[in-house]
Amino acid sequence: HRPAKIKTAIRKRPVHSTATKASAPNFTLASIDQWGDKTQAVVRHNGQLYTLTPGSALSGWTVVEFADSHAGVYIVNRHGQRRLLALD
């Protein structure tokens, strides 16, 4: 008497993960400047300073709005993850 063969399905790992990993921006908020009625975030990225306004993007992150009392700036990535970059 021989045991019956059992077919098993081999589960393959997806090439691209379907889960979105939490990521963090690779830049820091240096200052928030206001010139007249124009507010700008100054961020440090790879040793250089960049001036960003709402709608501006850097390294996959887009500025959405400034926090109350200009204590920071809200940014969002292409996966919809929202982060607050705060002044130190």
Side-chain angles (χ1 to χ4, degrees):
H1 169 277
R2 291 174 55 184
K5 289 186 178 181
I6 300 173
K7 290 185 177 182
T8 57
I10 298 173
R11 190 175 214 180
K12 294 182 180 180
R13 291 185 178 195
V15 176
H16 298 289
S17 175
T18 55
T20 305
K21 291 183 178 178
S23 62
N26 58 351
F27 49 86
T28 57
L29 182 61
S31 69
I32 295 177
D33 298 341
Q34 185 150 5
W35 297 92
D37 61 347
K38 188 174 183 181
T39 304
Q40 303 170 342
V42 179
V43 297
R44 186 179 312 280
H45 176 62
N46 292 334
Q48 293 188 325
L49 294 175
Y50 294 86
T51 302
L52 304 174
T53 56
S56 299
L58 177 65
S59 192
W61 292 87
T62 303
V63 173
V64 179
E65 64 184 344
F66 292 96
D68 292 337
S69 303
H70 294 119
V73 62
Y74 288 101
I75 56 175
V76 65
N77 67 9
R78 60 185 150 266
H79 301 292
Q81 296 172 321
R82 186 177 167 112
R83 296 271 191 265
L84 171 64
L85 280 182
L87 290 169
D88 292 332

